[in-house]
PDB file of all heavy atoms in Angstrom:
ATOM      1  N   ASP M   1      21.694  -7.811   0.262  1.00 98.00           N
ATOM      2  CA  ASP M   1      22.797  -7.880  -0.677  1.00 98.00           C
ATOM      3  C   ASP M   1      22.282  -7.872  -2.118  1.00 98.00           C
ATOM      4  O   ASP M   1      22.851  -7.223  -3.018  1.00 98.00           O
ATOM      5  CB  ASP M   1      23.688  -9.121  -0.434  1.00 98.00           C
ATOM      6  CG  ASP M   1      24.488  -9.004   0.803  1.00 98.00           C
ATOM      7  OD1 ASP M   1      24.569  -7.889   1.392  1.00 98.00           O
ATOM      8  OD2 ASP M   1      25.090 -10.030   1.224  1.00 98.00           O
ATOM      9  N   ALA M   2      21.159  -8.600  -2.338  1.00 97.00           N
ATOM     10  CA  ALA M   2      20.596  -8.707  -3.673  1.00 97.00           C
ATOM     11  C   ALA M   2      20.140  -7.343  -4.218  1.00 97.00           C
ATOM     12  O   ALA M   2      20.278  -7.042  -5.420  1.00 97.00           O
ATOM     13  CB  ALA M   2      19.461  -9.704  -3.678  1.00 97.00           C
ATOM     14  N   ILE M   3      19.583  -6.507  -3.322  1.00 98.00           N
ATOM     15  CA  ILE M   3      19.020  -5.230  -3.776  1.00 98.00           C
ATOM     16  C   ILE M   3      19.991  -4.055  -3.549  1.00 98.00           C
ATOM     17  O   ILE M   3      19.606  -2.883  -3.799  1.00 98.00           O
ATOM     18  CB  ILE M   3      17.692  -4.956  -3.093  1.00 98.00           C
ATOM     19  CG1 ILE M   3      17.857  -4.719  -1.581  1.00 98.00           C
ATOM     20  CG2 ILE M   3      16.682  -6.096  -3.339  1.00 98.00           C
ATOM     21  CD1 ILE M   3      16.578  -4.341  -0.853  1.00 98.00           C
ATOM     22  N   ALA M   4      21.183  -4.312  -3.086  1.00 98.00           N
ATOM     23  CA  ALA M   4      22.099  -3.258  -2.654  1.00 98.00           C
ATOM     24  C   ALA M   4      22.424  -2.282  -3.735  1.00 98.00           C
ATOM     25  O   ALA M   4      22.669  -1.087  -3.485  1.00 98.00           O
ATOM     26  CB  ALA M   4      23.364  -3.883  -2.102  1.00 98.00           C
ATOM     27  N   LYS M   5      22.422  -2.692  -5.020  1.00 97.00           N
ATOM     28  CA  LYS M   5      22.833  -1.872  -6.106  1.00 97.00           C
ATOM     29  C   LYS M   5      21.657  -1.441  -6.995  1.00 97.00           C
ATOM     30  O   LYS M   5      21.839  -0.986  -8.132  1.00 97.00           O
ATOM     31  CB  LYS M   5      23.939  -2.541  -6.930  1.00 97.00           C
ATOM     32  CG  LYS M   5      25.200  -2.801  -6.174  1.00 97.00           C
ATOM     33  CD  LYS M   5      26.282  -3.408  -7.036  1.00 97.00           C
ATOM     34  CE  LYS M   5      27.590  -3.661  -6.260  1.00 97.00           C
ATOM     35  NZ  LYS M   5      28.643  -4.281  -7.118  1.00 97.00           N
ATOM     36  N   ARG M   6      20.462  -1.559  -6.461  1.00 97.00           N
ATOM     37  CA  ARG M   6      19.275  -1.219  -7.276  1.00 97.00           C
ATOM     38  C   ARG M   6      19.298   0.292  -7.646  1.00 97.00           C
ATOM     39  O   ARG M   6      19.756   1.138  -6.813  1.00 97.00           O
ATOM     40  CB  ARG M   6      18.000  -1.557  -6.565  1.00 97.00           C
ATOM     41  CG  ARG M   6      17.679  -0.697  -5.330  1.00 97.00           C
ATOM     42  CD  ARG M   6      16.458  -1.265  -4.613  1.00 97.00           C
ATOM     43  NE  ARG M   6      15.973  -0.475  -3.498  1.00 97.00           N
ATOM     44  CZ  ARG M   6      16.434  -0.551  -2.268  1.00 97.00           C
ATOM     45  NH1 ARG M   6      17.431  -1.374  -1.992  1.00 97.00           N
ATOM     46  NH2 ARG M   6      15.895   0.157  -1.302  1.00 97.00           N
ATOM     47  N   PRO M   7      18.851   0.617  -8.806  1.00 97.00           N
ATOM     48  CA  PRO M   7      18.778   2.042  -9.191  1.00 97.00           C
ATOM     49  C   PRO M   7      17.809   2.808  -8.245  1.00 97.00           C
ATOM     50  O   PRO M   7      16.886   2.251  -7.738  1.00 97.00           O
ATOM     51  CB  PRO M   7      18.177   1.938 -10.622  1.00 97.00           C
ATOM     52  CG  PRO M   7      18.564   0.613 -11.138  1.00 97.00           C
ATOM     53  CD  PRO M   7      18.471  -0.274  -9.917  1.00 97.00           C
ATOM     54  N   GLU M   8      18.118   4.084  -8.065  1.00 95.00           N
ATOM     55  CA  GLU M   8      17.385   4.926  -7.108  1.00 95.00           C
ATOM     56  C   GLU M   8      15.871   5.022  -7.442  1.00 95.00           C
ATOM     57  O   GLU M   8      15.077   5.140  -6.515  1.00 95.00           O
ATOM     58  CB  GLU M   8      17.985   6.316  -6.997  1.00 95.00           C
ATOM     59  CG  GLU M   8      19.323   6.303  -6.289  1.00 95.00           C
ATOM     60  CD  GLU M   8      19.849   7.727  -6.065  1.00 95.00           C
ATOM     61  OE1 GLU M   8      19.076   8.677  -6.358  1.00 95.00           O
ATOM     62  OE2 GLU M   8      21.000   7.888  -5.641  1.00 95.00           O
ATOM     63  N   ASP M   9      15.560   4.988  -8.726  1.00 96.00           N
ATOM     64  CA  ASP M   9      14.153   5.178  -9.117  1.00 96.00           C
ATOM     65  C   ASP M   9      13.439   3.853  -9.354  1.00 96.00           C
ATOM     66  O   ASP M   9      12.412   3.783 -10.048  1.00 96.00           O
ATOM     67  CB  ASP M   9      14.021   6.079 -10.336  1.00 96.00           C
ATOM     68  CG  ASP M   9      14.719   5.493 -11.547  1.00 96.00           C
ATOM     69  OD1 ASP M   9      15.619   4.666 -11.381  1.00 96.00           O
ATOM     70  OD2 ASP M   9      14.360   5.911 -12.692  1.00 96.00           O
ATOM     71  N   MET M  10      13.938   2.784  -8.752  1.00 97.00           N
ATOM     72  CA  MET M  10      13.313   1.469  -8.859  1.00 97.00           C
ATOM     73  C   MET M  10      12.776   1.073  -7.473  1.00 97.00           C
ATOM     74  O   MET M  10      13.484   1.069  -6.489  1.00 97.00           O
ATOM     75  CB  MET M  10      14.315   0.413  -9.331  1.00 97.00           C
ATOM     76  CG  MET M  10      13.700  -0.953  -9.633  1.00 97.00           C
ATOM     77  SD  MET M  10      14.981  -2.112 -10.180  1.00 97.00           S
ATOM     78  CE  MET M  10      13.947  -3.332 -11.023  1.00 97.00           C
ATOM     79  N   THR M  11      11.508   0.762  -7.430  1.00 98.00           N
ATOM     80  CA  THR M  11      10.849   0.310  -6.188  1.00 98.00           C
ATOM     81  C   THR M  11      10.953  -1.197  -6.092  1.00 98.00           C
ATOM     82  O   THR M  11      10.592  -1.905  -7.047  1.00 98.00           O
ATOM     83  CB  THR M  11       9.342   0.704  -6.133  1.00 98.00           C
ATOM     84  OG1 THR M  11       9.252   2.145  -6.142  1.00 98.00           O
ATOM     85  CG2 THR M  11       8.667   0.120  -4.927  1.00 98.00           C
ATOM     86  N   ILE M  12      11.439  -1.707  -4.933  1.00 98.00           N
ATOM     87  CA  ILE M  12      11.510  -3.157  -4.730  1.00 98.00           C
ATOM     88  C   ILE M  12      10.784  -3.467  -3.429  1.00 98.00           C
ATOM     89  O   ILE M  12      11.108  -2.951  -2.371  1.00 98.00           O
ATOM     90  CB  ILE M  12      12.940  -3.661  -4.705  1.00 98.00           C
ATOM     91  CG1 ILE M  12      13.638  -3.411  -6.060  1.00 98.00           C
ATOM     92  CG2 ILE M  12      12.966  -5.148  -4.344  1.00 98.00           C
ATOM     93  CD1 ILE M  12      15.059  -3.977  -6.128  1.00 98.00           C
ATOM     94  N   THR M  13       9.770  -4.335  -3.541  1.00 98.00           N
ATOM     95  CA  THR M  13       9.023  -4.763  -2.361  1.00 98.00           C
ATOM     96  C   THR M  13       9.227  -6.258  -2.163  1.00 98.00           C
ATOM     97  O   THR M  13       9.790  -6.948  -2.994  1.00 98.00           O
ATOM     98  CB  THR M  13       7.510  -4.499  -2.586  1.00 98.00           C
ATOM     99  OG1 THR M  13       7.061  -5.179  -3.737  1.00 98.00           O
ATOM    100  CG2 THR M  13       7.263  -3.000  -2.746  1.00 98.00           C
ATOM    101  N   MET M  14       8.744  -6.760  -1.020  1.00 97.00           N
ATOM    102  CA  MET M  14       8.787  -8.177  -0.756  1.00 97.00           C
ATOM    103  C   MET M  14       7.415  -8.652  -0.291  1.00 97.00           C
ATOM    104  O   MET M  14       6.792  -8.028   0.583  1.00 97.00           O
ATOM    105  CB  MET M  14       9.839  -8.504   0.309  1.00 97.00           C
ATOM    106  CG  MET M  14      10.037 -10.019   0.525  1.00 97.00           C
ATOM    107  SD  MET M  14      11.617 -10.429   1.287  1.00 97.00           S
ATOM    108  CE  MET M  14      11.429  -9.658   2.909  1.00 97.00           C
ATOM    109  N   HIS M  15       6.981  -9.780  -0.851  1.00 95.00           N
ATOM    110  CA  HIS M  15       5.722 -10.373  -0.481  1.00 95.00           C
ATOM    111  C   HIS M  15       5.993 -11.611   0.331  1.00 95.00           C
ATOM    112  O   HIS M  15       6.801 -12.451  -0.057  1.00 95.00           O
ATOM    113  CB  HIS M  15       4.885 -10.718  -1.711  1.00 95.00           C
ATOM    114  CG  HIS M  15       3.731 -11.606  -1.433  1.00 95.00           C
ATOM    115  ND1 HIS M  15       3.614 -12.885  -1.988  1.00 95.00           N
ATOM    116  CD2 HIS M  15       2.685 -11.489  -0.581  1.00 95.00           C
ATOM    117  CE1 HIS M  15       2.553 -13.443  -1.562  1.00 95.00           C
ATOM    118  NE2 HIS M  15       1.941 -12.637  -0.695  1.00 95.00           N
ATOM    119  N   ILE M  16       5.298 -11.727   1.457  1.00 93.00           N
ATOM    120  CA  ILE M  16       5.473 -12.897   2.352  1.00 93.00           C
ATOM    121  C   ILE M  16       4.140 -13.535   2.570  1.00 93.00           C
ATOM    122  O   ILE M  16       3.182 -12.864   2.977  1.00 93.00           O
ATOM    123  CB  ILE M  16       6.098 -12.459   3.687  1.00 93.00           C
ATOM    124  CG1 ILE M  16       7.458 -11.829   3.475  1.00 93.00           C
ATOM    125  CG2 ILE M  16       6.179 -13.631   4.683  1.00 93.00           C
ATOM    126  CD1 ILE M  16       7.993 -11.094   4.688  1.00 93.00           C
ATOM    127  N   CYS M  17       4.032 -14.835   2.323  1.00 84.00           N
ATOM    128  CA  CYS M  17       2.791 -15.547   2.622  1.00 84.00           C
ATOM    129  C   CYS M  17       3.096 -16.962   3.146  1.00 84.00           C
ATOM    130  O   CYS M  17       4.254 -17.407   3.132  1.00 84.00           O
ATOM    131  CB  CYS M  17       1.826 -15.558   1.463  1.00 84.00           C
ATOM    132  SG  CYS M  17       2.114 -16.885   0.284  1.00 84.00           S
ATOM    133  N   ARG M  18       2.042 -17.604   3.579  1.00 72.00           N
ATOM    134  CA  ARG M  18       2.185 -18.927   4.193  1.00 72.00           C
ATOM    135  C   ARG M  18       1.777 -20.052   3.307  1.00 72.00           C
ATOM    136  O   ARG M  18       1.318 -21.105   3.753  1.00 72.00           O
ATOM    137  CB  ARG M  18       1.409 -18.916   5.524  1.00 72.00           C
ATOM    138  CG  ARG M  18       2.097 -18.070   6.581  1.00 72.00           C
ATOM    139  CD  ARG M  18       1.130 -17.507   7.603  1.00 72.00           C
ATOM    140  NE  ARG M  18       1.860 -16.663   8.565  1.00 72.00           N
ATOM    141  CZ  ARG M  18       2.295 -15.407   8.288  1.00 72.00           C
ATOM    142  NH1 ARG M  18       2.026 -14.886   7.119  1.00 72.00           N
ATOM    143  NH2 ARG M  18       2.970 -14.761   9.174  1.00 72.00           N
ATOM    144  N   GLY M  19       1.932 -19.868   2.005  1.00 60.00           N
ATOM    145  CA  GLY M  19       1.587 -20.890   1.042  1.00 60.00           C
ATOM    146  C   GLY M  19       0.231 -20.615   0.410  1.00 60.00           C
ATOM    147  O   GLY M  19      -0.691 -20.157   1.073  1.00 60.00           O
ATOM    148  N   ASN M  20       0.135 -20.916  -0.883  1.00 56.00           N
ATOM    149  CA  ASN M  20      -1.127 -20.611  -1.603  1.00 56.00           C
ATOM    150  C   ASN M  20      -1.207 -21.516  -2.828  1.00 56.00           C
ATOM    151  O   ASN M  20      -0.687 -21.185  -3.881  1.00 56.00           O
ATOM    152  CB  ASN M  20      -1.163 -19.143  -2.016  1.00 56.00           C
ATOM    153  CG  ASN M  20      -2.485 -18.727  -2.605  1.00 56.00           C
ATOM    154  OD1 ASN M  20      -3.538 -19.288  -2.245  1.00 56.00           O
ATOM    155  ND2 ASN M  20      -2.466 -17.746  -3.477  1.00 56.00           N
ATOM    156  N   PHE M  21      -1.818 -22.669  -2.683  1.00 45.00           N
ATOM    157  CA  PHE M  21      -1.992 -23.587  -3.791  1.00 45.00           C
ATOM    158  C   PHE M  21      -3.400 -24.180  -3.746  1.00 45.00           C
ATOM    159  O   PHE M  21      -3.779 -24.774  -2.739  1.00 45.00           O
ATOM    160  CB  PHE M  21      -0.981 -24.709  -3.725  1.00 45.00           C
ATOM    161  CG  PHE M  21      -1.177 -25.806  -4.772  1.00 45.00           C
ATOM    162  CD1 PHE M  21      -0.925 -25.545  -6.101  1.00 45.00           C
ATOM    163  CD2 PHE M  21      -1.653 -27.030  -4.399  1.00 45.00           C
ATOM    164  CE1 PHE M  21      -1.135 -26.536  -7.077  1.00 45.00           C
ATOM    165  CE2 PHE M  21      -1.872 -28.044  -5.352  1.00 45.00           C
ATOM    166  CZ  PHE M  21      -1.637 -27.781  -6.670  1.00 45.00           C
ATOM    167  N   ARG M  22      -4.195 -23.904  -4.807  1.00 47.00           N
ATOM    168  CA  ARG M  22      -5.579 -24.376  -4.868  1.00 47.00           C
ATOM    169  C   ARG M  22      -6.353 -23.984  -3.606  1.00 47.00           C
ATOM    170  O   ARG M  22      -7.095 -24.762  -3.052  1.00 47.00           O
ATOM    171  CB  ARG M  22      -5.629 -25.877  -5.080  1.00 47.00           C
ATOM    172  CG  ARG M  22      -4.954 -26.378  -6.342  1.00 47.00           C
ATOM    173  CD  ARG M  22      -5.604 -25.852  -7.616  1.00 47.00           C
ATOM    174  NE  ARG M  22      -6.913 -26.464  -7.848  1.00 47.00           N
ATOM    175  CZ  ARG M  22      -7.911 -25.868  -8.504  1.00 47.00           C
ATOM    176  NH1 ARG M  22      -7.734 -24.628  -8.981  1.00 47.00           N
ATOM    177  NH2 ARG M  22      -9.055 -26.457  -8.675  1.00 47.00           N
ATOM    178  N   SER M  23      -6.083 -22.751  -3.141  1.00 45.00           N
ATOM    179  CA  SER M  23      -6.753 -22.165  -1.981  1.00 45.00           C
ATOM    180  C   SER M  23      -6.390 -22.819  -0.644  1.00 45.00           C
ATOM    181  O   SER M  23      -7.101 -22.643   0.328  1.00 45.00           O
ATOM    182  CB  SER M  23      -8.314 -22.175  -2.148  1.00 45.00           C
ATOM    183  OG  SER M  23      -8.686 -21.364  -3.252  1.00 45.00           O
ATOM    184  N   THR M  24      -5.283 -23.603  -0.622  1.00 48.00           N
ATOM    185  CA  THR M  24      -4.823 -24.177   0.629  1.00 48.00           C
ATOM    186  C   THR M  24      -3.562 -23.477   1.070  1.00 48.00           C
ATOM    187  O   THR M  24      -3.062 -22.543   0.455  1.00 48.00           O
ATOM    188  CB  THR M  24      -4.565 -25.689   0.475  1.00 48.00           C
ATOM    189  OG1 THR M  24      -3.478 -25.879  -0.478  1.00 48.00           O
ATOM    190  CG2 THR M  24      -5.820 -26.400  -0.015  1.00 48.00           C
ATOM    191  N   TRP M  25      -2.982 -23.938   2.179  1.00 43.00           N
ATOM    192  CA  TRP M  25      -1.829 -23.305   2.776  1.00 43.00           C
ATOM    193  C   TRP M  25      -0.845 -24.314   3.362  1.00 43.00           C
ATOM    194  O   TRP M  25      -1.161 -25.511   3.448  1.00 43.00           O
ATOM    195  CB  TRP M  25      -2.277 -22.308   3.885  1.00 43.00           C
ATOM    196  CG  TRP M  25      -3.230 -22.937   4.846  1.00 43.00           C
ATOM    197  CD1 TRP M  25      -4.615 -23.026   4.703  1.00 43.00           C
ATOM    198  CD2 TRP M  25      -2.919 -23.514   6.132  1.00 43.00           C
ATOM    199  NE1 TRP M  25      -5.142 -23.655   5.805  1.00 43.00           N
ATOM    200  CE2 TRP M  25      -4.147 -23.978   6.679  1.00 43.00           C
ATOM    201  CE3 TRP M  25      -1.753 -23.741   6.799  1.00 43.00           C
ATOM    202  CZ2 TRP M  25      -4.202 -24.618   7.924  1.00 43.00           C
ATOM    203  CZ3 TRP M  25      -1.820 -24.358   8.036  1.00 43.00           C
ATOM    204  CH2 TRP M  25      -3.023 -24.821   8.584  1.00 43.00           C
ATOM    205  N   VAL M  26       0.321 -23.837   3.744  1.00 53.00           N
ATOM    206  CA  VAL M  26       1.342 -24.737   4.286  1.00 53.00           C
ATOM    207  C   VAL M  26       1.571 -24.520   5.800  1.00 53.00           C
ATOM    208  O   VAL M  26       1.493 -25.404   6.597  1.00 53.00           O
ATOM    209  CB  VAL M  26       2.691 -24.605   3.528  1.00 53.00           C
ATOM    210  CG1 VAL M  26       3.761 -25.447   4.200  1.00 53.00           C
ATOM    211  CG2 VAL M  26       2.521 -25.030   2.078  1.00 53.00           C
ATOM    212  N   SER M  27       1.920 -23.278   6.142  1.00 57.00           N
ATOM    213  CA  SER M  27       2.391 -22.998   7.500  1.00 57.00           C
ATOM    214  C   SER M  27       1.536 -21.957   8.213  1.00 57.00           C
ATOM    215  O   SER M  27       0.726 -21.215   7.615  1.00 57.00           O
ATOM    216  CB  SER M  27       3.863 -22.532   7.493  1.00 57.00           C
ATOM    217  OG  SER M  27       3.994 -21.385   6.696  1.00 57.00           O
ATOM    218  N   SER M  28       1.685 -21.921   9.554  1.00 64.00           N
ATOM    219  CA  SER M  28       0.992 -20.951  10.417  1.00 64.00           C
ATOM    220  C   SER M  28       2.004 -20.305  11.361  1.00 64.00           C
ATOM    221  O   SER M  28       3.046 -20.893  11.656  1.00 64.00           O
ATOM    222  CB  SER M  28      -0.106 -21.673  11.208  1.00 64.00           C
ATOM    223  OG  SER M  28      -1.073 -22.194  10.387  1.00 64.00           O
TER     224      SER M  28
END
């Protein structure tokens, strides 16, 4: 829904990670 009206010449990607703070992590 958030990206539904994005302009045709705009690239939208999504980054997914498991946490990143001071080289540590949260989930597996």
Side-chain angles (χ1 to χ4, degrees):
D1 288 350
I3 67 176
K5 297 183 179 180
R6 70 187 185 273
E8 288 186 8
D9 61 338
M10 187 180 200
T11 296
I12 297 183
T13 60
M14 184 160 65
H15 166 240
I16 299 167
C17 85
R18 288 153 182 78
N20 187 29
F21 174 71
R22 301 297 290 154
S23 296
T24 64
W25 49 275
V26 175
S27 58
S28 297

